[in-house]
Amino acid sequence: MRSPARLMTGTATAAVTVIALGLTAAPSAYADSFGRLEITPATAPPGAKVTVNTTACGPKGSGVGDANSLDAGDFEVRRGTHKEVLVGQFTVPHDTRPGVYEIIVSCDNGKDAVGDLKVIGGGKHKPDYDRPSGHVRTGVGGSVEPNSTQVALGVGVIGVAAVGGLWLLRRRTESTESGS
C-alpha cells in the first residue's frame, strides 16, 4: 500500500502535467485562427496609402479589413493577382498621432489576419470643436470684404462733396470781391 504523501505527490505531478500539456496545446489552436497580414509600407506617415495582403482567407475566400484603431474605418479586401492572396488598401488619416496600430482582416472562413502599422511623423490632434470662419459682423467697418459697388458709391459721394465744396468756396470768394 502506498503512503498518502506519495499518493498526493503523484496526483499533483499528474495534474501539473495535464495542465502543462493543455496550455501548450491551446496556443496552437488559438494561433490557427490568426493568419499573417503583410502591411506595405510597414512604417507610414499620416496621409499615406497603405496596402495589406493575406493568404489567411483561403484561395476562394473573402474578408473585410479593419483599420478602426487609427480611425481609418473598414476597408474592402479583394482577391489580388495571385489566386490565394487577398489585397486591400486604406489611407492613414492626416490627424493620426505617431504610434503602433493594429490592423485586422476578418475572413469569411472565421480566420483573422493581424498586423501592426507604425505611424511616424506629423499628425495633429483634431480639436473637439470647429474653428470659426468668415467675417465678424459687428456693425463697425473694416471687418467685411470691400464690395466694388460700395467702393464706387463711396468714391462718387466724395467726388460730389468735393465739387460742391469748390463751388461754394468760389461763390463765396466772388461775393466777397464784389462787396469790397
Side-chain angles (χ1 to χ4, degrees):
M1 188 162 169
R2 291 185 167 174
S3 69
R6 200 166 181 204
L7 187 60
M8 286 298 287
T9 306
T11 305
T13 303
V16 168
T17 304
V18 168
I19 290 172
L21 286 174
L23 289 177
T24 57
S28 65
Y30 181 73
D32 286 344
S33 67
F34 284 96
R36 183 167 173 240
L37 184 66
E38 285 185 30
I39 300 176
T40 308
T43 302
K49 186 166 277 231
V50 177
T51 302
V52 300
N53 59 50
T54 185
T55 57
C57 299
K60 294 183 181 180
S62 62
V64 175
D66 176 359
N68 289 311
S69 62
L70 51 90
D71 290 333
D74 292 342
F75 57 94
E76 198 171 340
V77 182
R78 295 182 175 178
R79 260 193 264 179
T81 54
H82 300 290
K83 290 180 183 179
E84 298 167 357
V85 179
L86 291 184
V87 179
Q89 286 188 329
F90 64 91
T91 302
V92 178
H94 290 284
D95 60 347
T96 303
R97 292 183 177 201
V100 177
Y101 296 89
E102 185 177 67
I103 308 300
I104 302 169
V105 170
S106 298
C107 301
D108 292 342
N109 64 5
K111 291 186 178 183
D112 291 336
V114 180
D116 289 332
L117 171 68
K118 183 177 182 182
V119 176
I120 57 168
K124 297 177 183 173
H125 178 66
K126 187 177 179 182
D128 294 335
Y129 57 89
D130 291 330
R131 292 183 180 209
S133 62
H135 302 286
V136 180
R137 301 198 186 269
T138 61
V140 178
S143 65
V144 179
E145 288 181 14
N147 182 341
S148 59
T149 306
Q150 291 175 344
V151 170
L153 287 174
V155 169
V157 168
I158 291 173
V160 169
V163 169
L166 285 174
W167 179 75
L168 284 175
L169 283 175
R170 185 154 189 217
R171 188 168 171 211
R172 201 179 213 188
T173 3
E174 287 177 0
S175 70
T176 321
E177 289 176 0
S178 59
S180 314

